[in-house]
Structures are given as structure tokens and as C-alpha cells.
Amino acid sequence: MKVFKGIVGLFGVAVIASCVEHEVIPPPKEEVDLTCSFSATIEGDDYELIQDVNGYYCNPTQAKEILPTPQPSNVKYFSEIRSDAQLDFLKIGLGSLSFNADEDIDPTVEQFTAFFNSNTLPDFDENADEGIEIVFRDGQGTVWTSMDTTNEVQNFEFTSLVQESDEEGDYMKFTATFNVSLFDDLEQPTDTLLIENGVYSGYFER
């Protein structure tokens, strides 16, 4: 009788154990590692902006011109490292990518990727219409902008381009190096700001 009770007890434990619901843990959500930073020598002084220091973060944006077919629509891409608590920021813009807006409001990932891979050495261009534009605001609030008509030595190169995607979006992660003289007045440029050995790591969003 004792043996029978023991077997019944074990059977009960087994039944209870089998009724315990197992927690289903979803797989970790894949996220692209998105970071940004900027360092340079500005007018002879070392300078840097770093993500999560003094509130700095990367702000990728686009400027689209949607046109009816058969005219192609176009988009310019911008990447900015900025802070809501500081005046300083750096923004670069690259344009323009043509696409058919009747098919989708955005270019495809393939078009997005090909556009950057074919523009690793872009020329400087006002308003980033057909090339690169650099805009910098200093700690006093003065905005300095690159020009495509200057005789000053200037160069720009994307030294690294990596396209990655996650559930939130499609990105072009990059590292760019440049030397450029920026101007504070596009109408009558007189004062310049020299940026040397500039390195900006950030990302664009499709």
C-alpha cells in the first residue's frame, strides 16, 4: 500500500510538471549599431563632437522633390551630428538620386546603395544638388558653409560605406574624410573657417 501511494504521488508530480506553461522567449531584435562622431583641426585647434557626450546624436534626413512621370523624382541625403543643448553642429548633404515615385515614395535599397557607392569622391556643390555640401555651426552660432566656386584647396572622400538594415529602416553607414574652407556669407564671402583632417563617421537613412 505504501508503494502504491508513492507511485500515485510521483504520478501526480509528473502531471503537475507537465501542466506548467513554458515561457516563449522571442529571439533578440536585430538592430543596426548606429554611431556618429566628428573630429578635425579647426583653425589650428583640435576639435571633436562625440555621440552621447553633451547630448550629441546623429540626425539623418532627406529632402525629396516628387515630380509626376515621366519626370524623375529626386532625393538628397543629409547626416548631421548635433545636440539639443549645444550650438555646435556639423551637417553634410549629398544629392541627388533620381527615382520613379510612381513605384515607391523612396528609392529601392539597391538604388540607395548604388548611389553612394558611385559617389565616393563627390565634388562640392552648393545646396548639395549634384554633389557634397558641408555646413558647420560654431559655438558662437555662426553658420559656415562650403562653396563650389572657391579657389581654396578642398577635398572630400567617403573612405568607408556599409549598407545595413533592421526592422526600423535601411541605412548607409559611412566614414568621410575632408579638408575644406567654409564661408560665413554666400553672397559676399569674406571670412573663412578652415577645417583640416576632418573625419566624420555617421549614417544616412533611406
Side-chain angles (χ1 to χ4, degrees), residues 75-78 92-96 115-116 119 122 128 131-132 158 204:
V75 55
K76 294 185 284 190
Y77 296 97
F78 299 90
I92 68 172
L94 181 66
S96 298
F115 172 70
F116 286 100
N119 283 286
I132 200 79
F158 286 109
F204 299 99

Side-chain angles (χ1 to χ4, degrees), residues 159-174:
T159 57
S160 174
L161 289 166
V162 179
Q163 194 283 309
E164 293 186 24
S165 302
D166 59 19
E167 294 181 9
E168 300 298 324
D170 305 299
Y171 311 95
M172 180 60 70
K173 299 166 61 174
F174 68 84

Side-chain angles (χ1 to χ4, degrees), residues 157-204:
E157 180 179 6
F158 286 109
T159 57
S160 174
L161 289 166
V162 179
Q163 194 283 309
E164 293 186 24
S165 302
D166 59 19
E167 294 181 9
E168 300 298 324
D170 305 299
Y171 311 95
M172 180 60 70
K173 299 166 61 174
F174 68 84
T175 297
T177 61
F178 53 90
N179 298 278
V180 63
S181 290
L182 305 181
F183 299 82
D184 71 335
D185 185 346
L186 293 179
E187 298 299 326
Q188 294 179 343
T190 53
D191 294 337
T192 60
L193 184 79
L194 178 62
I195 297 181
E196 298 175 288
N197 302 315
V199 180
Y200 178 32
S201 294
Y203 58 92
F204 299 99

Side-chain angles (χ1 to χ4, degrees), residues 19-54:
C19 293
V20 175
E21 293 186 7
H22 295 282
E23 181 181 1
V24 178
I25 301 176
K29 182 179 178 180
E30 290 190 10
E31 293 184 356
V32 176
D33 183 20
L34 299 172
T35 61
C36 63
S37 64
F38 168 59
S39 64
T41 300
I42 299 182
E43 292 294 317
D45 295 325
D46 292 339
Y47 181 91
E48 66 178 3
L49 303 175
I50 301 175
Q51 180 171 300
D52 296 331
V53 176
N54 294 324

Side-chain angles (χ1 to χ4, degrees), residues 56-105:
Y56 277 92
Y57 61 94
C58 186
N59 181 40
T61 57
Q62 307 90 25
K64 294 178 184 176
E65 183 181 24
I66 304 299
L67 300 174
T69 54
Q71 300 178 83
S73 298
N74 62 79
V75 55
K76 294 185 284 190
Y77 296 97
F78 299 90
S79 179
E80 176 183 23
I81 181 168
R82 64 173 301 124
S83 168
D84 296 333
Q86 305 289 327
L87 285 175
D88 308 45
F89 74 70
L90 179 91
K91 178 170 70 173
I92 68 172
L94 181 66
S96 298
L97 168 57
S98 298
F99 67 102
N100 185 349
D102 285 350
E103 297 178 356
D104 199 325
I105 196 64

